[in-house]
Amino acid sequence: MKKILLSIIAMAASFATLSAQSIFSSSDNRAGLGIRLSYELSCPGDVKLNDLLKSEIYGNGSGINAGVVYHIPVIYNFYFEPGVTLAYNTYSLNKSLVDGALDQDPDLNGLTVTNASVRMWNLRLPIIGGYRFDVLPFLGINVFTGPEFQLGLSGKNHLKISSLNVSEGAYGDDGQLNRVDIKWRIGVGVTLNKHIYGAVSGAVGLCDQAKDDLKMHSNLFDITVGYNF
């Protein structure tokens, strides 16, 4: 009887181990490269002039980014996914505020701004960790989060004033924006047939983007498609 009980316990333990492996782990976990392409909505916050006053200088703007990631399995279906991304995005500028600034200059008084935006090229280094749920043999659902480091490569304020196109630097000593930011990204994605990838995510800006005594944080919303090799 004792041998039979021991055999039953051993069989139950083996079955439990196999069941846990099938739920929490997948035999196709492997390291590899992936490519990503995203539509991006930049969402700058109000510019705080002091503790009491703030202004809606910037508005939302569209952009795009492209990059590569390297998928590193850790344990079970947990993974680590560093990457590098080149991003182009924009802010809209409050035209009424720009018009008011032009009225302060006698040489520009009476001119009308028809278009005003900030256009930026940024280099980003996301360091993302996540977990994949194997819902079906061909379908995995990923949840992920982690920091994303950003360096501003080029930024321009573009104004169209009547028939004139005016451009000036947004970064650098004479610009109004800081080049460096750290964002915290969180999102959910799907993997189809182990290769096709899609995700939606948001990134909250942690660093002040306005220079001098002003304060402004900028957030992102991304819709991403990709392919895992």
Side-chain angles (χ1 to χ4, degrees):
M1 178 64 72
K2 183 176 181 181
K3 290 182 178 180
I4 295 175
L5 289 175
L6 290 175
S7 298
I8 294 173
I9 292 171
M11 291 175 61
S14 299
F15 178 77
T17 301
L18 290 173
S19 298
Q21 288 176 346
S22 65
I23 294 172
F24 295 107
S25 184
S26 176
S27 60
D28 64 350
N29 281 343
R30 55 189 174 83
L33 284 172
I35 56 174
R36 303 287 186 263
L37 179 66
S38 301
Y39 162 78
E40 186 167 270
L41 179 68
S42 57
C43 306
D46 293 340
V47 176
K48 293 184 179 180
L49 309 177
N50 53 45
D51 292 338
L52 299 177
L53 298 176
K54 60 183 180 181
S55 177
E56 296 180 357
I57 297 176
Y58 303 106
N60 296 348
S62 292
I64 191 171
N65 69 64
V68 296
V69 299
Y70 191 73
H71 184 86
I72 305 172
V74 179
I75 185 173
Y76 297 126
N77 279 4
F78 288 100
Y79 63 88
F80 176 59
E81 202 168 72
V84 59
T85 300
L86 181 64
Y88 171 79
N89 62 12
T90 63
Y91 299 156
S92 62
L93 282 170
N94 189 321
K95 289 190 290 185
S96 62
L97 293 179
V98 178
D99 283 334
L102 294 180
D103 290 340
Q104 303 300 315
D105 190 328
D107 297 329
L108 301 177
N109 192 352
L111 297 179
T112 301
V113 176
T114 56
N115 197 329
S117 64
V118 185
R119 306 173 188 178
M120 298 157 286
W121 286 95
N122 299 316
L123 180 68
R124 300 195 189 128
L125 300 175
I127 304 176
I128 301 299
Y131 184 85
R132 188 185 74 249
F133 297 90
D134 293 319
V135 180
L136 295 170
F138 62 89
L139 174 64
I141 296 179
N142 308 64
V143 291
F144 55 88
T145 188
E148 187 172 87
F149 300 89
Q150 175 176 291
L151 175 65
L153 301 177
S154 174
K156 296 288 185 180
N157 300 310
H158 286 270
L159 305 176
K160 188 171 184 180
I161 305 172
S162 296
S163 60
L164 300 176
N165 289 308
V166 179
S167 179
E168 60 180 10
Y171 294 136
D173 294 337
D174 297 327
Q176 79 278 15
L177 296 177
N178 289 317
R179 290 183 182 271
V180 177
D181 193 12
I182 300 175
K183 301 182 187 296
W184 193 271
R185 186 172 292 279
I186 184 169
V188 60
V190 295
T191 305
L192 297 174
N193 295 324
K194 304 178 184 179
H195 297 292
I196 301 172
Y197 179 81
V200 292
S201 64
V204 178
L206 303 179
C207 298
D208 185 11
Q209 290 299 281
K211 295 176 68 175
D212 301 324
D213 295 329
L214 306 179
K215 296 182 182 299
M216 186 271 288
H217 290 77
S218 183
N219 307 318
L220 299 172
F221 173 77
D222 289 77
I223 300 174
T224 303
V225 294
Y227 188 85
N228 299 321
F229 295 96

